[in-house]
Amino acid sequence: MCGFRPFFVLTAFYAVLALLLWGGFLGFGLAVPAVAGGPFVWHAHELMFGFGLAAVAGFVLTAVPEFTATPAFAPRVVVRFVLLWLAARAAFWLSGGLAVVAGGWLGGADGHAAAHWIGHAPAALLNIGFACALLAAVAPRLWRDPERRQLGFLWGLAAMAVAVAGFHLDVLRGGYPMRWVLAGLGVMMTLVVVAMSRISMRIMNDALDAERARRLPAHTLRHDEEAELELPSYRARPPRRNLAIVAIATYTVAEFLLPGSPITGWLGLGAAAAVFNLLNDWHVGRALFTRWAFFLYAVYWLLALGYLLLGLAHLGAPLAPSAGTHLLAIGAMGLSILAVLCIAGRTHAGHPLDERPWVVVAAVSIALAAVLRAASGLPDMPAFALQLLAALAWVVAFTLAAWRLGVLFVAARVDGGTGCDEYHEPGAPQRAPT
């Protein structure tokens, strides 16, 4: 029932599993699944196209029916997606071993090439199939929506499917596929901007409503006094949002076609500037510094700083591009996914937002993980120790999420609501989807 339930559970637990294995590999030499391209390819693929795409699937399978006023996806459809995602993970993990077994049967140079193809073909078929099936499931609803306000999700999912397909086709051809992971990261950043604008509209205006209630008690102020002291409404304005999306997309294409070029560096700085410009929508006063509003605000800061470091690295600054890449992958992606689990996940499971301290601990842990991992790419820093500490901080954050949220996602609603509806506080007026 509801796409977010199984996929958000898988997202939280897989974040912990993948980084525990990676930390074990970095710190103790433990083996990670053998795949074409080596351990770093496994790590990057599973964080982007395993963990990241699971979160995207849970979000769009729940949000698209709400955004387009169409029926929720049937449980059998969600089950098929879950099984396909699990099969894709298993096939990728086993691809190297399968290639070795096939090579033993076939032998010779020609047999080695065929064994490589045999080993990876199931992973390619299942991973590409999952991305394309997700696109196919939501595309008709997004396209047929009379106002077509949600087409950003359609183009983002299509681009992500291309990135997944490109990765696996490169592997099948014997190439090194990391360029497609970076392309997928750029696509993910555009999806973050698209999705966060929807969530932030609700969160920021709720914070402003609470601030109005504190400052403008209607029963003590005249109407003209209320108007004089009225706080502004928050709007995720399309011009700034669209400029940020275009700037990020342009940088992503340049990074793919012109890796290491100064042109790519300047475009990285342009993407950073566009995201910093987007932050101006948030500067509405004290309401920004409430828990959930600042949580989302921090995502954009990590996004902007990530592109700033990437731009500087491509222009010759003494730092590795991985510093900016990990601010995006760990910071912006990780923190935005945690926000979606905590906000969209809880409310659609029939619970109010969680005000307990663990949320702050988890959010700070992800931000700390991003900063530590980025710092490991700076000159004269203890890279190995910083990478291990970053992995530990990430594991702490998503262990807390799995513990505190997982039980809610597998349990029945307790608010009297049904299906995938948002939490509805008794006595509160019904709210239309944003």
Side-chain angles (χ1 to χ4, degrees):
M1 184 183 69
C2 305
F4 79 89
R5 287 179 174 267
F7 275 111
F8 284 3
V9 170
L10 290 169
T11 296
F13 279 94
Y14 201 63
V16 175
L17 174 62
L19 261 294
L20 280 176
L21 289 175
W22 187 242
F25 168 77
L26 292 176
F28 307 101
L30 298 180
V32 297
V35 302
F40 290 95
V41 169
W42 172 83
H43 168 64
H45 180 277
E46 290 306 277
L47 264 292
M48 182 55 55
F49 301 134
F51 161 78
L53 205 48
V56 169
F59 181 82
V60 298
L61 289 175
T62 305
V64 167
E66 179 186 5
F67 291 157
T68 58
T70 54
F73 288 100
R76 67 179 182 278
V77 174
V78 178
V79 168
R80 290 169 189 162
F81 274 109
V82 170
L83 294 177
L84 184 55
W85 184 87
L86 290 170
R89 305 281 61 71
F92 189 66
W93 282 43
L94 297 173
S95 60
L98 183 58
V100 170
V101 172
W105 290 342
L106 298 173
D110 292 339
H112 175 76
H116 170 77
W117 198 94
I118 291 170
H120 194 77
L125 181 64
L126 290 166
N127 280 279
I128 295 172
F130 178 80
C132 291
L134 187 61
L135 173 63
V138 301
R141 300 182 186 222
L142 293 169
W143 189 257
R144 293 170 188 165
D145 181 30
E147 298 185 6
R148 293 186 176 176
R149 293 187 304 168
Q150 315 300 336
L151 287 183
F153 290 109
L154 177 61
W155 310 134
L157 290 173
M160 186 64 77
V162 170
V164 174
F167 177 97
H168 290 281
L169 291 175
D170 262 12
V171 171
L172 288 173
R173 290 195 298 262
Y176 191 63
M178 285 295 289
R179 59 179 182 157
W180 292 104
V181 176
L182 296 176
L185 178 60
V187 174
M188 183 67 75
M189 294 303 98
T190 65
L191 286 171
V192 165
V193 173
V194 172
M196 287 296 102
S197 68
R198 273 66 173 177
I199 297 173
S200 65
M201 288 279 284
R202 175 67 56 81
I203 294 299
M204 282 295 291
N205 283 304
D206 282 351
L208 285 165
D209 287 345
E211 183 68 7
R212 290 187 188 97
R214 186 184 70 84
R215 291 173 54 180
L216 305 173
H219 63 280
T220 62
L221 293 177
R222 299 193 312 272
H223 178 75
D224 60 338
E225 290 174 325
E226 291 182 16
E228 182 180 350
L229 296 175
E230 186 176 1
L231 294 170
S233 294
Y234 168 78
R235 294 288 182 270
R237 294 175 174 83
R240 283 176 170 160
R241 183 175 73 246
N242 292 340
L243 176 62
I245 290 170
V246 170
I248 292 169
T250 303
Y251 170 83
T252 302
V253 172
E255 185 182 43
F256 187 87
L257 298 176
L258 303 168
S261 166
I263 295 173
T264 304
W266 289 113
L267 290 172
L269 297 184
V275 179
F276 279 128
N277 178 54
L278 185 59
L279 286 169
N280 287 314
D281 285 340
W282 293 71
H283 300 153
V284 294
R286 183 173 177 175
L288 172 62
F289 298 99
T290 55
R291 170 185 290 200
W292 299 105
F294 195 78
F295 193 157
L296 300 178
Y297 182 68
V299 171
Y300 287 103
W301 265 97
L302 291 166
L303 184 59
L305 291 174
Y307 281 110
L308 176 62
L309 291 188
L310 279 169
L312 292 174
H314 289 307
L315 289 172
L319 68 151
S322 64
T325 298
H326 283 89
L327 274 185
L328 300 178
I330 297 176
M333 183 176 77
L335 196 58
S336 64
I337 287 175
L338 179 66
V340 168
L341 266 60
C342 289
I343 297 172
R346 273 188 66 95
T347 57
H348 283 278
H351 294 266
L353 295 179
D354 196 330
E355 301 297 333
R356 290 176 294 180
W358 78 266
V359 175
V360 176
V361 173
V364 170
S365 294
I366 290 180
L368 178 62
V371 171
L372 290 171
R373 183 59 183 84
S376 72
L378 300 178
D380 302 322
M381 297 296 286
F384 178 71
L386 291 174
Q387 289 173 17
L388 282 180
L389 289 172
L392 177 61
W394 173 280
V395 168
V396 167
F398 281 100
T399 297
L400 286 170
W403 172 37
R404 293 296 192 180
L405 296 173
V407 65
L408 304 181
F409 298 155
V410 299
R413 298 177 65 115
V414 296
D415 65 336
T418 58
C420 307
D421 293 339
E422 291 188 13
Y423 170 75
H424 183 64
E425 186 177 353
Q430 188 66 39
R431 304 180 71 168
T434 301

